[in-house]
Amino acid sequence: MPRIHTATTALALTLALSGFARAAEGPARPIRLNQLGVEALGPKRAMLADPSASPLAWTLRDAQGAVAASGRTQVFGDDAASGEHVHQIDFSAFHGVGEGYRLVVGAAESRSFPIRAARLYGALKADALGFFYQNRASIPIEARLVQRPDLARPAGHAPDKATCFDKADQRGQVWAGCAYTLDASHGWYDAGDQGKYVVNGGIAVWTLQNAYERAVVLGKTATLAAFADGQGRIPENANGVSDLLDEARWEMDFLLAMQVPAGTTMALPVGLQRVGPGGRLDLTSVDASGMAHQRLADEHWTALPTAPADDRETRYLYHPTTAATLNLAATAAQAARLWKSLDPAFSARCLEVARRAFAAARRNPEIYALGDFTGSGGYGDSNLEDEVYWAAAELYATTGAAEYAAVLRASPLFLAGPSAGGKPTGDIGWPSVGALGTITLALAPNGLKPDEIAAARANLVASADRYLADDARQGYGLPYAAPGYPWGSNSAILNRAIVLGLAADFTGKSAYRDGAVDAMDYVMGRNPLDRSYVTGHGARPMTHPHHRFWAQQADARYPAPPPGVLSGGPNSTNMGDPVARDMKGKCAPQTCWTDDYRAFTQNEVAINWNAPLVWVASWLDEPAR
Ligand code: 9MR
């Protein structure tokens, strides 16, 4: 008797609503696993929603239909995140290799999948990095460097020059403007929009630079080789520098250019002022020299689709904030370290910008993104303790200077991991960057005492232990637990996988790698929607992102997305788009998602989400020792 699965029904409803047929890819299957397959020597788990209270018999069949392995499911039971009654199938003990395997439980069957002797993410990690090239501002996207000719496009915002916003915002607050224009060309468009944000650019570029730095420091030759000069599909792939680092530099160019010129006095909101609609902020004249503008973005939202070269909106610099300034200080200090011997002049410039930014943030420690603007997102953050610690950590690792050590040691976050240490930093995300500082102190050679570096590592490992404890409590066996799934939940899961990966690096224990595999298994299809959240990879990948250029669903004259693009993923906590609105109260957290370009709270793509995909995919792709 065919079993009815709630998620399958929800998905069918979703597809009917969006008017989309998916004949080519077939329906969701009841047995879910990583759609790229599994590793012969790695953990192998699949999930099935079934009401049975007792274990069910499963068989693993090879391409000829012969039984290769068999066992009984583990009954996980009711699972809040998926809204299902879940059975887990663990076939890790099977070490055969080949194509065309299927799992069968009664009448339920998985689609066929490979069991591979090698790692799974060689193609995906390259595509995931290609996302950044294809979201570059100020440069044409060349057909020879992209996966399909229709992905090529003329340069957008070349150059990307702007002066400060000097009008009334949506609350009626009038902003002063400035006497200068900055050429803040280069950088990546943030997401589905074409804004460029220093706060979010910071965590995204840090993550790529950290993937590179970790590989250098720990001698991960496979990762270094995979991204070596010539491997990337970028114009700079014959300059003698790692293409991963080249890609990150495109963003650094933009971030460096967002610094307020020396000698600038500006009227800014000081302190965490609370004003209602129509209320006015109290602006104070301060020395803003060396701060960073919060963002460079369009005055009004453009329509979707809008190719970057067709953007006719006026772009403005939005007022400098302490958070943006600290993001600039942190990433420029990190870049200074990485480029030191490769390009000493660039390294010196980065360090000078970082030092000036840090000093500016100390001088103006509480200037928050308080304006109410249209045309771009806010990335407002009211707690900057973590940004201060992160920037001090990067500057200290690069310079060893006592002034940064003093700030570090005074921070309650000193050496803390996401969920361990004096004051845990919380999970990694754009407003929560404390753990980035600890990761740098744990990895990059620096002047802390050996027992302090050991403590930083131990706090990251203890945080990874917490993530594994969460994993054990999830029906779908992923190292993430939350009562509601946040905007960009897939990045929250992958950021946890980074911590698990580092814990595996520091301890050599396979349980941490298995946890990172679990995270990626979920993203690649072991989820209640039976969906690969990465375009072009897996049997049922996301295909219709919210993106102004990869907008084929909205307008057939625009291209479908390239492969390697991560969907933000299920979002049950902010259901404010036209698609999500109709799902309110009707979906379990992991099922509040639709493959529809209008669903910007669920299916947008973003630089701070694709960056951990690059990190984790390249980490998982490293060969066993
Ligand atoms: O990723 C951001 C998410 O954490 C916030 O909840 C959300 C609403 O403020 O904004 C997200 O960031 C968006 C940004 O503001 C504008 N560019 C697109 C980003 C991804 O949706």
Side-chain angles (χ1 to χ4, degrees), residues 190-193 197 301 377-379 430 487 574 600 604-606 608-609:
D190 188 54
D193 63 321
Y197 305 77
W301 290 111
Y379 286 121
W430 65 261
W487 198 313
N574 182 328
F600 62 81
E604 191 161 355
V605 301
N608 63 317
W609 305 341

Side-chain angles (χ1 to χ4, degrees), residues 307-586:
D310 299 337
D311 180 7
R312 298 286 169 264
E313 280 295 316
T314 304
R315 285 162 86 77
Y316 283 106
L317 298 167
Y318 290 84
H319 74 77
T321 64
T322 308
T325 305
L326 290 165
N327 269 264
L328 174 60
T331 55
Q334 182 194 27
R337 203 160 67 229
L338 303 180
W339 287 96
K340 194 164 188 215
S341 59
L342 299 171
D343 185 341
F346 180 66
S347 165
R349 179 174 162 231
C350 287
L351 185 55
E352 201 257 332
V353 167
R355 283 183 178 282
R356 281 202 296 125
F358 193 77
R362 302 300 281 170
R363 198 171 64 239
N364 294 311
E366 40 173 5
I367 295 177
Y368 302 97
L370 293 179
D372 185 7
F373 307 100
T374 182
S376 51
Y379 286 121
D381 183 356
S382 55
N383 180 348
L384 305 182
E385 187 176 60
D386 52 322
E387 281 79 6
V388 170
Y389 168 63
W390 174 38
E394 297 297 345
L395 274 157
Y396 178 70
T398 303
T399 66
E403 59 176 305
Y404 305 122
V407 178
L408 267 187
R409 291 176 189 284
S411 172
L413 303 176
F414 184 48
L415 307 179
S419 59
K423 180 175 179 184
T425 63
D427 274 5
I428 295 170
W430 65 261
S432 173
V433 291
L436 310 187
T438 298
I439 291 172
T440 286
L441 295 173
L443 261 183
N446 68 77
L448 291 185
K449 299 188 205 97
D451 64 309
E452 291 173 323
I453 292 171
R457 292 185 169 204
N459 286 332
L460 292 167
V461 171
S463 302
D465 287 331
R466 288 282 290 274
Y467 294 165
L468 292 182
D470 283 343
D471 191 316
R473 289 196 297 268
Q474 299 302 305
Y476 275 78
L478 68 155
Y480 184 76
Y485 268 43
W487 198 313
S489 63
N490 282 335
S491 74
I493 293 161
L494 290 175
N495 279 329
R496 283 185 165 207
I498 290 179
V499 175
L500 285 158
L502 291 167
D505 285 343
F506 298 149
T507 65
K509 287 189 187 155
S510 61
Y512 299 120
R513 182 174 198 277
D514 293 355
V517 168
D518 276 340
M520 199 65 142
D521 281 352
Y522 167 87
V523 168
M524 297 309 298
R526 197 176 77 200
N527 55 61
L529 299 180
D530 186 36
R531 177 64 69 178
S532 161
Y533 289 112
V534 180
T535 54
H537 291 264
R540 298 183 73 243
M542 180 272 265
T543 49
H544 302 307
H546 177 84
H547 191 272
R548 278 173 172 67
F549 183 61
W550 305 325
Q552 193 168 61
Q553 190 190 24
D555 184 333
R557 292 169 298 180
Y558 286 74
V565 179
L566 178 73
S567 167
N571 180 354
S572 64
T573 55
N574 182 328
M575 305 188 71
D577 68 57
V579 177
R581 268 202 291 274
D582 294 336
M583 299 174 82
K584 260 189 201 164
K586 297 180 201 152

